[in-house]
Amino acid sequence: MATHPAPRFPDGFLWGVSTSAHQIEGAVQLREPSVWDVFTAGPGRVKDGSTAAVACDHYHRYREDVALLADLGVDAYRFSVSWPRVNSPGGLDFYDRLVDALRAAGVRPVPTLFHWDLPAGLDWLERDTASRFARYVSVVADRLGDRVDKWITLNEPAEHTLLGHALGAHAPGGELLFDALPVAHHQLLAHGLAVRALRASGATDVGIANSHGPTWPASDGPADREAADLYDVLLNRLFADPVLTGRYPDGIGELMPGDVPADLKIIAEPLDWYGVNYYAPARVGAPRGAETGFGGLTLPAELPFSVRGIEDRPRTDSGWPVVPEGLTELLTGFRDRYGDRLPPIVITENGCAYDGLDDQDRITYLDGHVRALHRALEAGVDVRGYFVWSLLDNFEWAEGYARRFGLVHVDFATLERTPKASYRWFRDLLRRQGRRTR
Ligand code: FCB
């Protein structure tokens, strides 16, 4: 555990916590189904056989959760708006109430407009889903835009493409491998169209939340380096390059559907900031002709790379290695790669799965990452905010309720919330940064 206080961050730095609709809201009977409801109804999809039907019941308990945010002293709260709920009678009223409660508590609302819960019946393989998304975004922005100024278009289109459409581990369960690439293109197009829709409604503070991590070749040999480079292209650059530079990495644009040059102009709409979700680096080598494990997943043998373990590090309960300096490496690498094209960065997610109320391991993880973030600032990277994943223990997708990422413990039998040691640690950190319980 840390023995000395975390360094001081600049005035105006945005401290927050993140959640997403499907993982916390529950109240599924009050909205139309999403691809996740359909997916989890299938046998063997979620490890503990659970669904998000109730989750944290945040839909009914949001006032209690807003009180936890106010007591924590965060500047901002990142949540997601459920597109299926907005499609349902009274759905937007919930976000009205939530936004009003947050503002009354002095917490800035930062909605994400898509965090994987696509309305059932829609499909990112269809180009039209991007235009539908933009129309939905206009509806939300017209309703909430008088009280919300900071917006996030998409959460992690990389994971949604890879896990949901290429490997079948997440909803909607597609196992298309490289044929899933149109899903990436259509989400990126949806992002660009959403930026335009938000601008049209007057928004001036718009970003995206992309997942990124350094890719470390398993060795200096050419086969490992080539495999690691391909992995880096697919997981990092495929989603950052078009947004930040208006180009796909070499060899990728040709694989995408539609009028790609025209779409790239939309995808590269200038952003006010760029959100990075960081959890861990990946060590990647040449294919081994056999299935490999990857964060609880089994990767098929035919992929042109294999993901190796990072053995010399502690691991979280989800098996992810703890590598705080990977965050400094990632951010300085981004600055070097994208230069002037890189807007200010906000860390939109960072966190870890550990059990227990006295979660010293989480404190060690977060403390290490906050310090690593500060080193990136010292190295001249323009970082404007940091959001912990997550406020609450919640429905961790295919892992069900078995992975606890919250600063606040949730008893899923009684739905009682209990702040953990890490909640108090974060509150102390925020106090030292000049924030107060409200
Ligand atoms: C990210 C997701 C988020 C949560 C964390 C642990 O990939 O955006 O919803 O599941 O991982």
Side-chain angles (χ1 to χ4, degrees), residues 52-179:
V54 177
C56 307
D57 198 27
H58 170 77
Y59 181 90
H60 294 110
R61 292 164 195 257
Y62 72 93
R63 288 191 183 282
E64 193 182 337
D65 296 335
V66 171
L68 285 164
L69 290 163
D71 181 50
L72 186 55
V74 281
D75 301 313
Y77 172 52
R78 175 184 171 219
F79 59 98
S80 81
V81 176
S82 157
W83 185 355
R85 197 175 296 288
V86 169
N87 284 352
S88 309
L92 252 176
D93 297 345
F94 169 67
Y95 299 104
D96 252 345
R97 295 193 291 275
L98 176 62
V99 162
D100 287 346
L102 288 166
R103 284 166 50 89
V107 178
R108 192 169 171 191
V110 183
T112 306
L113 290 153
F114 177 69
H115 199 127
W116 302 353
D117 48 353
L118 193 70
L122 295 187
D123 187 344
W124 284 116
L125 281 168
E126 304 291 333
R127 182 181 174 87
D128 187 45
T129 303
S131 330
R132 285 171 182 265
F133 179 66
R135 287 198 292 277
Y136 142 79
V137 167
S138 293
V139 169
V140 178
D142 285 350
R143 181 72 168 269
L144 303 181
D146 58 337
R147 286 152 294 148
V148 167
D149 58 1
K150 200 173 187 72
W151 298 91
I152 299 175
T153 55
L154 306 182
N155 178 70
E156 298 191 355
E159 268 60 27
H160 191 57
T161 305
L162 177 78
L163 301 175
H165 297 79
L167 299 175
H170 279 187
E175 297 183 37
L176 299 171
L177 296 180
F178 283 91
D179 290 339

Side-chain angles (χ1 to χ4, degrees), residues 4 63 100 105 226 239 260 396:
H4 53 94
R63 288 191 183 282
D100 287 346
E226 197 184 315
F239 296 91
V260 174
E396 177 51 26

Side-chain angles (χ1 to χ4, degrees), residues 20 23 115-116 155-156 159 277 279 320 349 389 396-397 405:
S20 90
Q23 294 177 274
H115 199 127
W116 302 353
N155 178 70
E156 298 191 355
E159 268 60 27
N277 295 356
Y279 288 92
W320 303 350
E349 285 182 28
W389 182 272
E396 177 51 26
W397 311 113
F405 278 88

Side-chain angles (χ1 to χ4, degrees), residues 9 12-18 74-76 78 276 278 327 331 345-352 362-363 365-374 377 383-389 407 425-426 429-430:
F9 282 70
F13 192 84
L14 200 65
W15 295 97
V17 289
S18 297
V74 281
D75 301 313
R78 175 184 171 219
V276 169
Y278 172 75
L327 180 56
L331 295 175
I345 288 180
V346 174
I347 304 302
T348 33
E349 285 182 28
N350 177 237
C352 50
R362 186 177 342 270
I363 294 173
Y365 179 102
L366 294 175
D367 181 78
H369 285 76
V370 166
R371 289 170 198 275
L373 180 62
H374 195 265
L377 267 90
V383 187
R384 304 277 178 94
Y386 174 84
F387 287 67
V388 173
W389 182 272
L407 298 177
W425 169 86
F426 196 43
L429 180 145
L430 294 171

